[in-house]
Amino acid sequence: MRGALVQPGPTGGLPRLDAAAVIVALVLFSMIGCDGTGSSAGSEQTPAPDVAESSAERGPVRFTARAAPGAITVGDKLTLTLEVEAPEAVDIEMPQLAEELGPFEIRAARTPPDVPDGDLRRWTHQYTLDTFASGELEIPALEVGFVDRRPDSVQDGEPVEGTLSSEPLSITVRSVLKGDELAGDYRDIQDAVEVPIPIDWR
């Protein structure tokens, strides 16, 4: 059988690769460091999570309001998380939310007590929201109150009191209607009506 890839050199020295072997080698070399899709490993970045977030900081207190996901379909649920961090000697008054929060309704709430986190304490309240409105909607701004009782913050024998607020959170709510449908295409269910049924007495 005649060799196809390696031939003796013109001076009897090192073997010479033919053109096909050179092409194969170049292709393999160009794929080094690439993943199975042909793109360089590690070049793709994980997309940022779909979250609407607002943070505020005043003195020793930091307040974050976060809604996820930031885009839903009518009737879907989203989670609103309110998180506050403050030193041990700072009292926090979390927002008292009603059943409705702007165009959203609160379906469930989880408001555990604060927990230690190093030199700080952390308050984390979570609410499950939904809405049957659509469009670019807003969760309104929320406010946290605090009383700073740290000895080095007391003024004239009185602790320092204050508030800080989040910005409104913008949520995209998609309609379940298709592009060629109008809200007027759907009618309310009507009351039952009597329909006379002919009777054959024969």
Side-chain angles (χ1 to χ4, degrees), residues 93-116:
E93 182 179 355
M94 296 293 287
Q96 302 298 315
L97 305 186
E99 293 182 359
E100 295 184 356
L101 193 56
F104 297 89
E105 293 190 13
I106 298 178
R107 300 302 184 182
R110 180 176 176 270
T111 57
D114 56 294
V115 295

Side-chain angles (χ1 to χ4, degrees), residues 6 35 60 91-92 97 126 139 154 158 181 196:
V6 181
D35 58 16
D91 297 335
I92 296 297
L97 305 186
Q126 288 188 332
I139 296 174
V154 172
E158 296 294 331
E181 294 173 338

